[in-house]
Amino acid sequence: MTDNKDVQETPSAESSEKKKDFRIKSFVVRAGRMTEGQIRAIEELGPKYMVDVEDLKPLDIDGIFGRSAPLVVEIGFGMGVSFVQMAKEAPQYNFLGIEVHPPGVGSALKLIEQEKLSNVKVIKFDAFEVLKKCLKPQSVDILQIFFPDPWPKKRHVKRRLINDDFVKLVAPLFKSGGQFRMATDWEDYAVQMLDVLSRAEGFTNTSADGTYIPRPSWRPLTKFEQRGQRLGHGVWDLVFVRD
């Protein structure tokens, strides 16, 4: 009979890999009620506009869109209103949106179909995994993250998406001259974004004074933002360029 006190467990390769890949997620998939239209959109329009990344293999972007064009990737497009509007107004770009919340995906699919856009595709998956495993180095012309979850409570700040590790992950994906576009209506998060990108290697702030830029014309003004403006809330925009 073996004395258990003398037996040391050796971590399995699988457990070691899980530990290495562990991260604090920046989102929580909320069980929001989906409308019949959103459900139907995913069922009927999904095959036309959604990209399957379950195998987490590198994507053939030109093949997905059926053409070669500059690529815009947006993380967390919400209900898709501004995302689809930007795609409509910039047909020379391919737009790839990543969102985990089913109602938002369904809503975006309906808008894409209404506008009959051929330059928009949607991924319903964890953006971190897509960026890490599915997008090839130097494949992204513009990465945009607008109004990410601010995690305002002090104990939750570590959940914020924009941090040093995230920037290190996405830096190789940019083409030279590629833009990293961000916006938030939480000043504390804006300061964090500015600090993180300012110290990141290989990025240059486009702001004349090294801080924030005026609201750019290419970012549509959402209903949420309009309401915030009426209430006197601020919005901070940042654009950094990859060297």
Side-chain angles (χ1 to χ4, degrees):
M1 189 172 181
T2 304
D3 186 347
N4 288 335
K5 290 189 291 185
D6 295 331
V7 176
Q8 295 184 353
E9 283 191 18
T10 302
S12 67
E14 182 180 0
S15 63
S16 297
E17 189 67 21
K18 285 182 178 179
K19 186 175 181 181
K20 183 179 71 173
D21 287 343
F22 173 78
R23 81 181 201 283
I24 299 173
K25 289 190 175 182
S26 62
F27 65 90
V28 174
V29 180
R30 301 173 182 86
R33 181 179 179 277
M34 294 184 69
T35 65
E36 290 185 8
Q38 291 166 350
I39 294 171
R40 188 165 58 250
I42 291 178
E43 293 175 348
E44 298 177 0
L45 302 176
K48 185 176 181 180
Y49 298 114
M50 292 180 69
V51 180
D52 183 2
V53 295
E54 289 293 334
D55 59 8
L56 291 176
K57 291 182 179 179
L59 295 173
D60 174 11
I61 297 297
D62 290 355
I64 288 169
F65 287 93
R67 67 171 187 171
S68 178
L71 178 64
V72 178
V73 177
E74 180 163 337
I75 298 174
F77 55 71
M79 301 306 284
V81 177
S82 63
F83 172 62
V84 173
Q85 184 177 337
M86 278 186 279
K88 179 182 178 180
E89 295 175 353
Q92 71 275 26
Y93 286 89
N94 288 333
F95 281 75
L96 182 63
I98 308 172
E99 177 60 70
V100 293
H101 300 290
V105 172
S107 174
L109 293 175
K110 290 171 61 180
L111 293 171
I112 296 168
E113 178 67 7
Q114 288 172 14
E115 299 293 345
K116 301 299 180 185
L117 300 179
S118 60
N119 65 327
V120 191
K121 299 293 181 183
V122 173
I123 293 176
K124 180 180 164 296
F125 209 82
D126 182 347
F128 185 91
E129 296 296 329
V130 176
L131 296 170
K132 184 178 180 181
K133 299 173 182 177
C134 301
L135 294 180
K136 298 176 183 178
Q138 298 182 26
S139 63
V140 177
D141 293 88
I142 298 172
L143 175 64
Q144 48 195 38
I145 303 173
F146 301 138
F147 306 103
D149 194 326
W151 293 105
K153 294 181 180 179
K154 189 173 182 180
R155 68 178 184 273
H156 290 155
V157 166
K158 60 187 176 184
R159 290 183 176 274
R160 288 177 175 173
L161 180 62
I162 310 299
N163 57 38
D164 295 301
D165 289 338
F166 179 78
V167 175
K168 288 177 183 177
L169 170 68
V170 301
L173 302 180
F174 285 94
K175 294 179 183 177
S176 178
Q179 294 186 6
F180 193 171
R181 301 173 173 178
M182 294 155 283
T184 180
D185 57 345
W186 283 80
E187 186 173 11
D188 178 63
Y189 201 177
V191 171
Q192 178 176 323
M193 290 176 174
L194 181 61
D195 288 346
V196 168
L197 269 296
S198 295
R199 62 174 172 258
E201 288 188 18
F203 287 93
T204 300
N205 194 345
T206 63
S207 169
D209 64 0
T211 58
Y212 311 101
I213 64 169
R215 193 188 75 80
S217 59
W218 41 256
R219 184 175 66 74
L221 191 63
T222 65
K223 290 182 180 179
F224 172 80
E225 191 175 352
Q226 289 174 340
R227 178 178 177 275
Q229 286 183 344
R230 289 195 299 270
L231 296 173
H233 297 172
V235 172
W236 292 264
D237 280 272
L238 305 91
V239 175
F240 279 73
V241 171
R242 189 77 168 98
D243 299 343

